[in-house]
Amino acid sequence: MNKKSLIEFQEGEKVKINCVECGLGFKKRLGELGLYDGSELEIIKNDGSGPVIVKILDSKIALGRGEIAKIYGRKI
Amino acid sequence: MGVKYSINIGLIGNPNVGKSTLFNALTGSHQHVGNWPGKTIEKKEGEFIFQDKKIRLVDLPGCYSLTAYTEEEAVTFEFIQNEKPDTIIQIIDAQNLERNLFLTIQLIELGAPLVLALNMADLAEKEGIKINVQELALLLNVPVVVIDAKTKKGIDSLMRASFKQALSKNVCRPAKLTYGRDINDELNKISSFLNNQKDLAQKEIDWTAIKLLEGDWRAVKNIRKKSYFPELKDLVRQSIARLGTVFNKNINTILANTRYGFIRGLCQDAVIRKKVSAHKKWSEKFDNIVMNKFAGLPIFLFVAWIIFQITFKVSEPLTGLLEKLFIFLGDKASFFLAAAGMPDWSISLIVDGIIGGVGGVLVFIPIIGILFFLIALLEDTGYMARVAYIMDKLMHRIGLHGKAFIPLILGFGCNVPGIMATRTLRTKKDRLLTILISPFISCGARLPVYALFTAVFFSAYQGWVIFSLYLLGIILAIAMGLIFKKIFFKKLSSPFVIELPPYRLPSLQGLLIHVWENLWSFIKKAGTIILVFSIIIWFIASVPFGVAYGSQDSLAGKMGQTISPVFKPLGFDNWQSSVALLFGFVAKEVVVGTFGTLYNVDDIESEEGESFLGNALQNDFTPLSSYAFMVFVLLYVPCVAVLAVVKRETNSWKWPLFMVGYTTTIAWVMAFIIYQGGKLIGFQ
């Protein structure tokens, strides 16, 4: 499966999530914000350190690097 | 003496949708804040009259869904289940429709008596998003009312719709979300099983079946004890396993996919999108600057500096005025009471104890009020979320959450608003950790002590010595943060996830109400405790009656003499220091004044007063012991107001008491190290 951690994507790239590897609780949390296996997002800001900002549905969400590393997807 | 309400309404919605604005618009000043039983989240309730009917409105904490992952969501879910409100108004942000509808779907599945209030439609239109309200209402089978919480537009229609919803006896079945054949099959299996038990109502069965499939055990607490539960659990487990094989995905992912799929389809019918407008581009540019890798932090530090300047420059004259007012009141009261022939001790009680005590509380108001206003301004415009993003990088390394930065910075002015500001942190653990290390952030009230002693003993290096104290405080705060993390909060800290809401202009009324709420709760809680302790201190300083206030012969003096041996290894075992430290428990500002009183200096503000006090201090302290003393003052127990606020925010006396213990212990140990260590090295 073509699977790359979201942390490796650059600003401006559009990604379709195909895997979320984390505990159930946090997975639900991500899910209710719109981040789940099958959803599409855009990387807004990834500076190489500090939280990453993504655009999902119509809103911007900032996620810690540890958290976003657990989300995988492929470029679209 | 219960008030009879016509209807009870619950207000629900995602964070940042304007829920508070609507709540304030409806209830005005008729609201009060309490606590949800057993939880640290505040419960906001209000009442208002509409068409001659009295309405009780409960503001539920902002949440994204009903699966109880956080305390906020648990509180919301339990409220709906247990208190069964007549109507639930969900506020929806037109700029974020799809995500907001995720909560709507769950409320519909729960069978809640729902009315949707569509807010910020005008802002959405500026971004090219136009929502067909009738279509939306039709597809969801739920009434939708367009409102503007800031201008109160549409409120009447909203209330009429809410009444209609509350009074409609037959629960109109809202659109039933179909999960596709496979999931529906499993849901039907579970529903039939529950149906056969003839235990629950139909509505509850549907909802329970979905929650069981989701694995949300908290939502089905009420059936856990039933005899059929073990069999039910097996059935559910099989269903989940079967679905996992069919879809090759986790059940929650499947459900989220289905829900959002439904929402997407719905929005395609009900929402028209145009090209991104100029407005959006402007806020994007702003964000690029404000969150820039290099410029972001300096920009924020500048903003923080401005906030500090405004707060302290503006509050100073106000505080001065209040202080003068209380001195005036005190003088007049003494005069009149004496003229009325009241006994001396009672005059002293009223003037020194009560007026002095109450004054001690009210003196905080200008600072807290202004600080809170500015912080609320930053929060409601959406800038605060950007700050949390900027600071998280640094805070993360010391084990703290990015949002903990603001509360800690506030502590440099006064720990009280700092601790109250920890409410912006999402989890109890983060809040508690931040609160526990906040006392080491040296507050403004301790500064006069440093100023006094450095002037007497380190006059050439005043600035540097004071800076070293602040630095020591910060280092210890970080160290304690890391230690507490290891001991108490072994589990990983809450994940860093925050929404960056679009920039918005907050309503002035909303801001002022928000500030007033916080101010009033501070006055009520902290005020009573400070008053009580002020009277206790007064009492200790006045008995046995007839002695000079706070002199060596008073109870306070005797207590000072008894305690002072404890400070011998630290270098300051004179009884005056012990008394001053004791009084400092109530308020740190009092320490300097107490020294003045105890050394019989009439007016510390005057030049001769200063030099007189300086000489007196030089007799009892050495430079080394004065530094040890200042370190002790830096670190030891926070003032009573802080303890009162900590009690309020953590809902227990355990933590304030713990704070008293551990800060004083560390203060003693550090002062000991400094004094004894200094002597060893050869300082005097």
Side-chain angles (χ1 to χ4, degrees):
Chain A
M1 177 159 61
N2 180 9
K3 161 175 140 167
K4 197 164 99 166
S5 168
L6 251 54
I7 210 173
E8 298 174 39
F9 286 93
Q10 305 302 324
E11 289 174 26
E13 296 197 287
K14 293 203 164 72
V15 182
K16 181 170 179 136
I17 299 180
N18 54 26
C19 178
V20 179
E21 274 174 16
C22 62
L24 260 180
F26 188 56
K27 203 181 261 195
K28 272 191 216 166
R29 176 100 174 85
L30 289 176
E32 62 198 27
L33 288 171
L35 293 158
Y36 55 91
D37 195 335
S39 64
E40 294 174 7
L41 55 91
E42 180 185 341
I43 309 280
I44 301 281
K45 201 170 189 6
N46 187 354
D47 285 335
S49 69
V52 175
I53 303 180
V54 303
K55 180 144 181 230
I56 182 82
L57 297 172
D58 278 309
S59 59
K60 289 197 222 174
I61 309 272
L63 286 150
R65 295 191 86 73
E67 286 74 48
I68 207 155
K70 299 182 178 138
I71 308 177
Y72 299 83
R74 57 176 177 79
K75 182 163 175 185
I76 49 171
Chain B
M1 193 206 67
V3 188
K4 191 64 160 62
Y5 288 105
S6 290
I7 62 171
N8 286 312
I9 301 183
L11 203 55
I12 199 175
N14 283 182
N16 300 312
V17 297
K19 198 159 53 64
S20 301
T21 315
L22 180 63
F23 183 80
N24 291 330
L26 288 169
T27 60
S29 55
H30 300 283
Q31 50 175 271
H32 71 267
V33 176
N35 266 94
W36 292 94
K39 303 216 164 50
T40 58
I41 305 180
E42 51 178 33
K43 179 178 188 176
K44 242 172 35 176
E45 280 183 49
E47 56 177 51
F48 61 101
I49 311 241
F50 182 77
Q51 290 180 349
D52 295 330
K53 297 206 178 31
K54 206 164 198 185
I55 303 176
R56 173 175 166 249
L57 191 62
V58 178
D59 187 11
L60 300 166
C63 59
Y64 294 102
S65 93
L66 291 180
T67 49
Y69 178 73
T70 58
E71 254 193 339
E72 280 93 352
E73 281 151 0
V75 146
T76 303
F77 179 73
E78 281 165 24
F79 172 78
I80 299 178
Q81 285 290 70
N82 302 335
E83 291 199 43
K84 301 206 196 308
D86 299 297
T87 303
I88 299 212
I89 299 178
Q90 183 194 353
I91 304 199
I92 298 197
D93 174 8
Q95 293 174 292
N96 251 312
L97 192 61
E98 289 192 45
R99 196 196 61 219
N100 275 249
L101 288 178
F102 191 77
L103 177 59
T104 314
I105 298 286
Q106 296 188 34
L107 286 167
I108 292 177
E109 283 173 342
L110 184 54
L114 191 57
V115 171
L116 296 180
L118 187 64
N119 197 14
M120 309 204 207
D122 50 338
L123 293 175
E125 253 179 81
K126 287 211 187 94
E127 292 180 15
I129 301 175
K130 180 116 176 69
I131 300 177
N132 183 340
V133 178
Q134 282 99 316
E135 188 71 19
L136 189 63
L138 201 64
L139 291 167
L140 290 171
N141 207 6
V142 170
V144 180
V145 180
V146 178
I147 65 164
D148 183 346
K150 246 166 68 175
T151 61
K152 300 195 195 178
K153 188 183 87 171
I155 299 265
D156 276 355
S157 313
L158 180 63
M159 291 321 302
R160 278 196 295 272
S162 304
F163 264 90
K164 208 162 144 214
Q165 179 67 267
L167 296 171
S168 66
K169 287 299 166 113
N170 52 325
V171 183
C172 62
R173 289 300 335 222
K176 187 155 179 193
L177 175 59
T178 170
Y179 283 98
R181 197 195 53 196
D182 298 286
I183 300 182
N184 279 343
D185 280 346
E186 302 304 324
L187 280 174
N188 284 335
K189 282 184 198 149
I190 301 177
S191 302
S192 316
F193 179 90
L194 285 168
N195 239 329
N196 290 340
Q197 307 305 321
K198 302 220 186 299
D199 189 28
L200 304 166
Q202 181 61 46
K203 197 171 81 176
E204 264 195 278
I205 291 182
D206 291 336
W207 164 254
T208 308
I210 297 179
K211 285 289 141 186
L212 283 169
L213 215 54
E214 264 185 7
D216 191 355
W217 300 105
R218 207 205 288 228
V220 296
K221 251 196 315 223
N222 55 324
I223 62 167
R224 279 231 285 266
K225 301 229 180 75
K226 308 276 180 165
S227 56
Y228 56 79
F229 192 67
E231 206 188 323
L232 180 62
K233 234 169 70 168
D234 277 338
L235 180 63
V236 171
R237 220 173 282 155
Q238 284 172 28
S239 292
I240 294 181
R242 210 168 297 139
L243 288 171
T245 327
V246 169
F247 289 98
N248 201 18
K249 279 181 192 175
N250 162 266
I251 183 72
N252 282 289
T253 306
I254 306 169
L255 292 173
N257 255 303
T258 316
R259 286 180 172 141
Y260 273 114
F262 176 75
I263 293 173
R264 215 173 311 138
L266 193 150
C267 288
Q268 263 160 13
D269 283 341
V271 179
I272 310 166
R273 280 172 191 266
K274 295 203 292 250
K275 281 253 282 275
V276 172
S277 68
H279 168 260
K280 188 125 192 187
K281 296 222 172 86
W282 170 90
S283 67
E284 296 282 346
K285 280 199 190 124
F286 191 75
D287 258 349
N288 283 336
I289 299 176
V290 147
M291 293 197 290
N292 181 273
K293 192 167 172 178
F294 302 108
L297 184 56
I299 291 181
F300 168 62
L301 288 176
F302 178 65
V303 170
W305 179 81
I306 291 194
I307 291 191
F308 254 91
Q309 290 295 83
I310 296 181
T311 304
F312 290 101
K313 290 266 148 54
V314 174
S315 68
E316 219 180 292
L318 291 173
T319 309
L321 248 142
L322 275 175
E323 280 170 348
K324 286 208 177 69
L325 173 66
F326 278 97
I327 295 181
F328 174 76
L329 274 175
D331 286 341
K332 288 289 172 230
S334 320
F335 180 73
F336 282 115
L337 290 172
M342 300 280 287
D344 274 344
W345 67 264
S346 67
I347 299 183
S348 180
L349 170 63
I350 293 183
V351 174
D352 296 320
I354 298 185
I355 296 186
V358 171
V361 177
L362 299 188
V363 135
F364 281 106
I365 291 184
I367 282 194
I368 295 184
I370 297 177
L371 249 177
F372 267 164
F373 180 80
L374 294 171
I375 300 291
L377 188 63
L378 288 188
E379 271 213 54
D380 287 357
T381 49
Y383 179 64
M384 205 58 105
R386 274 81 182 168
V387 172
Y389 163 83
I390 296 171
M391 289 313 303
D392 185 68
K393 225 184 295 193
L394 287 171
M395 304 288 283
H396 195 73
R397 287 201 208 133
I398 52 181
L400 290 169
H401 201 268
K403 282 181 174 178
F405 186 70
I406 297 282
L408 289 174
I409 279 284
L410 288 182
F412 280 112
C414 176
N415 285 129
V416 172
I419 290 178
M420 287 171 84
T422 56
R423 287 182 192 175
T424 56
L425 292 160
R426 280 208 77 174
T427 64
K428 222 162 49 168
K429 289 204 172 108
D430 282 321
R431 282 198 283 262
L432 186 54
L433 181 58
T434 313
I435 289 178
L436 283 179
I437 66 174
S438 61
F440 292 144
I441 304 286
S442 183
C443 74
R446 306 190 200 225
L447 192 51
V449 178
Y450 313 151
L452 175 63
F453 280 84
T454 51
V456 174
F457 294 100
F458 301 101
S459 50
Y461 303 102
Q462 239 187 334
W464 288 106
V465 174
I466 297 185
F467 179 68
S468 75
L469 290 167
Y470 274 91
L471 197 59
L472 181 62
I474 296 175
I475 293 176
L476 276 172
I478 297 179
M480 290 315 296
L482 292 167
I483 294 178
F484 282 135
K485 200 112 202 285
K486 288 249 158 68
I487 304 179
F488 293 125
F489 308 107
K490 268 175 292 209
K491 226 173 73 164
L492 293 164
S493 78
S494 63
F496 185 79
V497 182
I498 56 165
E499 184 196 348
L500 300 175
Y503 287 108
R504 292 180 183 135
L505 204 61
S507 79
L508 187 61
Q509 186 201 23
L511 280 177
L512 289 174
I513 294 187
H514 192 209
V515 171
W516 172 247
E517 265 171 31
N518 285 316
L519 217 45
W520 183 238
S521 81
F522 163 73
I523 293 177
K524 261 192 332 193
K525 288 294 169 72
T528 43
I529 300 198
I530 294 182
L531 189 56
V532 165
F533 273 93
S534 299
I535 295 186
I536 294 180
I537 296 281
W538 167 84
F539 185 73
I540 298 178
S542 307
V543 295
F545 290 120
V547 302
Y549 188 76
S551 73
Q552 206 165 357
D553 301 315
S554 68
L555 183 55
K558 298 234 168 61
M559 283 173 75
Q561 285 169 315
T562 326
I563 302 177
S564 57
V566 166
F567 296 117
K568 191 149 185 209
L570 310 183
F572 44 90
D573 59 339
N574 49 322
W575 68 272
Q576 292 96 332
S577 297
S578 302
V579 175
L581 288 174
L582 189 65
F583 287 9
F585 180 66
V586 174
K588 299 288 172 291
E589 295 92 332
V590 164
V591 173
V592 171
T594 309
F595 272 120
T597 313
L598 299 181
Y599 284 109
N600 281 321
V601 176
D602 273 327
D603 183 6
I604 331 179
E605 312 275 306
S606 72
E607 258 192 61
E608 1 165 289
E610 266 178 34
S611 61
F612 191 83
L613 183 56
N615 289 333
L617 286 175
Q618 274 174 338
N619 280 334
D620 281 340
F621 286 93
T622 69
L624 180 62
S625 70
S626 79
Y627 192 77
F629 181 74
M630 287 194 287
V631 166
F632 191 84
V633 168
L634 164 75
L635 301 172
Y636 92 122
V637 64
C639 69
V640 169
V642 167
L643 295 175
V645 164
V646 171
K647 190 259 171 193
R648 193 208 182 294
E649 297 295 314
T650 59
N651 224 1
S652 116
W653 279 109
K654 181 170 74 165
W655 294 111
L657 286 173
F658 174 71
M659 264 174 131
V660 170
Y662 103 86
T663 50
T664 314
T665 310
I666 294 199
W668 196 96
V669 168
M670 290 304 301
F672 179 80
I673 293 177
I674 291 188
Y675 185 67
Q676 297 296 346
K679 269 187 14 185
L680 277 175
I681 303 182
F683 286 113
Q684 261 311 322

